[in-house]
Amino acid sequence: MAPQRFREQFDHIQRSMPDVPLVMGPDDSAEFLYEKGVVLVRDGEDARTVEDTVRAYFTEAPDLNQDHVRRVSPRTNRTGVTRIRVGDPGEGGRQGDRTVAHALRAVQEREDRAGRRLVSRNHVVHIAPVNACPGDEPVPAPAASAPNPSPAEAVHDPETAVGVLVVDTGLMHDYRSWHQLAHVDGDLALEETDAEGMLKQYVGHGTFIAGIVASVAPNTNVTVLGTLNDVGAVLESEFGEKLFEAVDRHGWPDIISLSAGTPNGRTDGLLGLDAFMEELRDRRTLLVAAAGNNGSATPFWPAAYASLPEYANCVLSVGALRSDGAFGACFSNHGTWVRAYAPGERLVGALTGFEQPVPYVYQHSTYDACRYGFAYACTCQSPRHTGVLSEQQQSTGSEPDQVVFEGFARWSGTSFATPVVAGMIADHMVAHKETDPRAAGQQLLAANTGFADVHGESVPALRPPTWRPEPADPAGAGT
């Protein structure tokens, strides 16, 4: 049974995609979301093979309808993928899609013979989720708070600055009110507040990330794209094209900081990203990608491309350390496919409200205990609040908690550990006059002497010198 937080977030994402029926997958679990009644294939011969194979399989199964099997989106972009309808998206509930499962099963034998994947679910790619959402929601930082990591002392020189492209939600309108973001550019958020003037969920995500990069590496030219402006979610079939659009608009940068992805139950990546990843491999750009916040060892894509030999040089996957920096954060994904960890719990950075305070109503509620079984005072529990989507709030009729943002916020997630590492690599490039971002990433890891404990394993821990750890919690060491 999917946990409450996953069901809450499923509803939120579905409302943002009213014309795209979604289901949980592979059944009523918290593993991933995908498009109902549709599979994703490469255009051309693969598409014809899948159509014919699924139609023949459905003909022999009395409870399946071959009349639904047809191509619904011809190839129109550089990703080389197309969608094939295999079922009626109006049938069934939201706990998995049996027609999609049957279609995948129908093609399995052909995939085995071909030695490669022919078909995939059309997954929802979203902001590095914990059951489809960030590690927690932002919390207003006290008025006297300073950013953490603190801004490093360096001069911004446009001629030598490292180019960092942040693919995320757009920037808040008042982001330049904080001087550290003076050299940041890019898309603005489409809608910051709702009809009541309340800050909408996730809209400050890209601004917060840009602030972390600029703090860790001031000599950067940061560009933030609003690729995930719509509640931080996009279909896999569209995501590859959006990444191509990003580099077409701004050129291939030194570093791409990406805090979004999805698991898919496989170990060979996302079909919808294959074309982009193949082109990335032949460029000089380094993709620094969030490992995700499911508290799981299941590969999370595209970060997990770092574990594939052909992409190991061009992708760096990043997990999150808890606020004392000694252990992995409770929510952080982990495993051999995660290459490095960095501070990602209760970071303090720029959000919004610099020019005028902005109210926010919490969407999710905190828990009485860590949902992953950790013993330290994690973000699952603190600070306490009740959210709009909470079953408890809905059953009792109590009011959800409201706060006001006035500039800085505390926020947790592998979403934010990722720009810490992107910034450290950029800073290394400047300090060592290294022009190759991939070489810089390897050099940084090779020279690193810091380690942390993540599920009993000693892992590389990249901690920027301006980051201030919170005191260790003796009662909560490890799990």
Side-chain angles (χ1 to χ4, degrees), residues 160 162 219 423-434 440 443:
T160 61
V162 175
N219 197 18
M424 291 182 72
I425 294 170
D427 189 60
H428 180 92
M429 291 177 67
V430 172
H432 297 273
K433 295 182 172 55
E434 174 60 68
Q443 293 162 11

Side-chain angles (χ1 to χ4, degrees), residues 268-271 273-274 277 300-309 311-312 315:
D268 54 359
L270 296 175
L271 194 62
L273 261 63
D274 275 357
M277 294 304 298
F300 184 84
W301 307 94
Y305 278 99
S307 65
L308 304 183
Y311 296 108
V315 181

Side-chain angles (χ1 to χ4, degrees), residues 189-411:
L190 295 180
E191 288 184 282
E192 296 183 8
T193 57
D194 61 18
E196 283 72 44
M198 294 290 174
L199 184 68
K200 299 183 74 171
Q201 199 172 14
Y202 309 135
V203 292
H205 198 260
T207 302
F208 198 91
I209 287 171
I212 292 173
V213 174
S215 287
V216 176
N219 197 18
T220 48
N221 292 327
V222 181
T223 303
V224 179
L225 298 187
T227 305
L228 300 171
N229 257 329
D230 197 357
V231 304
V234 64
L235 286 173
E236 177 184 339
S237 57
E238 301 173 5
F239 190 48
E241 179 63 15
K242 286 183 177 292
L243 291 174
F244 274 126
E245 291 173 357
V247 295
D248 286 347
R249 282 176 58 191
H250 298 280
W252 287 86
D254 295 305
I255 299 168
I256 295 176
S257 180
L258 178 64
S259 294
T262 181
N264 67 351
R266 297 182 62 103
T267 59
D268 54 359
L270 296 175
L271 194 62
L273 261 63
D274 275 357
F276 179 82
M277 294 304 298
E278 288 172 4
E279 186 158 341
L280 170 72
R281 186 178 57 202
D282 297 332
R283 301 282 180 166
R284 60 183 293 278
T285 298
L286 176 65
L287 173 63
V288 183
N293 308 324
N294 293 318
S296 168
T298 299
F300 184 84
W301 307 94
Y305 278 99
S307 65
L308 304 183
E310 62 269 39
Y311 296 108
N313 187 47
C314 60
V315 181
L316 180 57
S317 48
V318 182
L321 299 175
R322 72 186 203 184
S323 54
D324 63 10
F327 298 90
C330 68
F331 52 78
S332 181
N333 283 347
H334 51 90
T336 57
W337 55 275
V338 183
R339 292 289 177 256
Y341 292 78
E345 187 174 61
R346 299 192 183 101
L347 300 186
V348 179
L351 189 71
T352 192
F354 288 99
E355 296 177 352
Q356 181 177 345
V358 182
Y360 178 73
V361 175
Y362 283 106
Q363 299 298 300
H364 305 288
S365 299
T366 47
Y367 295 75
D368 293 333
C370 175
R371 73 192 104 166
Y372 303 106
F374 280 61
Y376 77 102
C378 65
T379 57
C380 296
Q381 310 164 70
S382 176
R384 304 286 297 174
H385 53 256
T386 298
V388 172
L389 303 177
S390 165
E391 286 183 340
Q392 177 184 3
Q393 182 268 332
Q394 293 170 2
S395 63
T396 63
S398 60
E399 290 295 320
D401 290 322
Q402 178 175 321
V403 292
V404 174
F405 288 101
E406 299 182 88
F408 293 109
R410 296 183 187 274
W411 213 344

